[in-house]
Amino acid sequence: MHLYISPRIEQLIDLAIDEDEIGFDVTSQAFFAGEWGKAELVAKQDFVLAGAPVVRAVFARVDAAIEVAFARDDAAAFQKGEVVATLQGPTVSLLRGERIALNFMQRMSGVATLTASFVAALGDSATRVVDTRKTLPGWRALDKYSVLCGGGANHRYNLASGVMIKDNHIAAAGSVAEAVKRVRLQAPHSVRVEVEIDEVERVSEALEAGAEIIMLDNMSREQMVEAVAIIRRHPRGAHVVIEGSGNMTRERLNDLGDVGLDIISVGALTHSASAVDVSMKLRESSGSKG
């Protein structure tokens, strides 16, 4: 699992550092000026790690002298009480970067942990859990990376990375066929066309129109079973990606693994994840590096 620290992510880190006014940490300066410290990041709950590269980038930005070593890489599971990472460097710098680094890692790990629980709810099903664009503004790369760490997969990254015809587009066009026809005239040949359907009766329309992905939105299990059967019986059906979406809770996923869906998209992975509980404990601080 690899996260590229792009200029956009660096901007987020710089914004967070500027926001926290780390150069004016009078408290830490009063107690630890000139000292060298060692610290640990400790899990206060079970969780799946995401964000180790960001933590390293934060502390590197705060003070290049800080060394960070994680016990395991992103996507690894940690149990309550485990040491997630060890750090050493100027004590004041460790404390300056503490909250910023934890803010990033705790949210990212929260997304990864929630994703892992949704993936587990499907058991050994071949159906994949995917995210949506319901991400924290500015955080999309981090949110979607965190979903990968939790064992999920990514849906389209932005509006330019895929065509998704929704109810408003169909209403404006007058029919599914006309909506697909319009986007085909403008969309690059490499972009697949997805159509959102909320009634089983419209599945055949989407198939005949040439949709490559069909989203079954807010359907019951029974409706999904019927829709999947219609799609798979169609001459093109084996090549159509079937997506389930709408009010997808972990409890529902327990009952959807055998329906035949290729993917289930879950907005909650990124819009409702709770930050995990991790704290930094200063274990040693003295007047010298040795």
Side-chain angles (χ1 to χ4, degrees), residues 26-290:
V26 178
T27 313
S28 298
Q29 189 70 24
F31 289 93
F32 301 109
E35 294 192 8
W36 187 270
K38 295 182 180 180
E40 295 175 339
L41 301 185
V42 181
K44 300 180 75 174
Q45 67 174 86
D46 296 350
F47 74 95
V48 175
L49 176 64
V54 183
V55 170
R56 294 189 188 98
V58 167
F59 281 112
R61 219 52 162 199
V62 171
D63 191 329
I66 295 175
E67 298 177 6
V68 182
F70 275 83
R72 294 191 288 282
D73 295 331
D74 279 352
F78 284 85
Q79 294 184 326
K80 181 179 180 180
E82 277 194 273
V83 174
V84 179
T86 56
L87 307 90
Q88 60 178 333
T91 305
V92 171
S93 297
L94 290 174
L95 295 173
R96 284 174 173 174
E98 172 188 3
R99 178 43 49 203
I100 298 167
L102 286 177
N103 282 348
F104 278 103
M105 192 185 79
Q106 287 177 289
R107 173 179 164 79
M108 292 178 68
S109 296
V111 171
T113 303
L114 183 60
T115 300
S117 72
F118 273 83
V119 171
L122 282 171
D124 58 1
S125 171
T127 304
R128 295 187 302 164
V129 175
V130 304
D131 53 28
T132 69
R133 287 168 40 245
K134 297 176 182 178
T135 54
L136 189 67
W139 273 62
R140 183 158 295 166
L142 299 181
D143 278 353
K144 284 185 170 284
Y145 169 79
S146 301
V147 168
L148 296 178
C149 289
N154 296 151
H155 207 297
R156 61 175 178 164
Y157 186 81
N158 53 34
L159 292 173
S161 61
V163 171
M164 183 181 291
I165 299 173
K166 300 172 75 68
D167 54 354
N168 288 327
H169 304 121
I170 295 171
S175 69
V176 171
E178 180 62 22
V180 172
K181 178 182 176 180
R182 289 191 191 184
V183 297
R184 289 282 188 207
L185 294 173
Q186 299 185 47
H189 71 278
S190 58
V191 174
R192 291 193 291 182
V193 174
E194 177 168 5
V195 177
E196 176 186 281
I197 300 296
D198 58 7
E199 298 175 357
V200 175
E201 293 72 20
R202 308 199 77 170
V203 170
S204 294
E205 290 183 61
L207 285 166
E208 294 304 319
E212 289 134 325
I213 307 171
I214 296 179
M215 177 198 291
L216 308 179
D217 188 45
N218 283 305
M219 290 189 183
S220 66
R221 173 188 164 83
E222 292 70 24
Q223 289 173 314
M224 288 183 188
V225 169
E226 183 181 354
V228 168
I230 293 171
I231 295 169
R232 295 308 185 211
R233 285 197 302 265
H234 192 273
R236 293 180 47 252
H239 305 290
V240 173
V241 176
I242 308 175
E243 174 181 349
S245 185
N247 191 32
M248 290 297 182
T249 63
R250 277 173 291 188
E251 291 70 28
R252 282 202 72 195
L253 261 64
N254 286 325
D255 195 38
L256 295 178
D258 62 349
V259 167
L261 301 170
D262 294 299
I263 59 176
I264 294 176
S265 55
V266 184
L269 301 181
T270 53
H271 72 58
S272 295
S274 299
V276 302
D277 197 358
V278 179
S279 63
M280 190 179 90
K281 299 295 185 181
L282 190 62
R283 299 305 189 192
E284 180 182 326
S285 186
S286 62
S288 65
K289 182 177 180 178

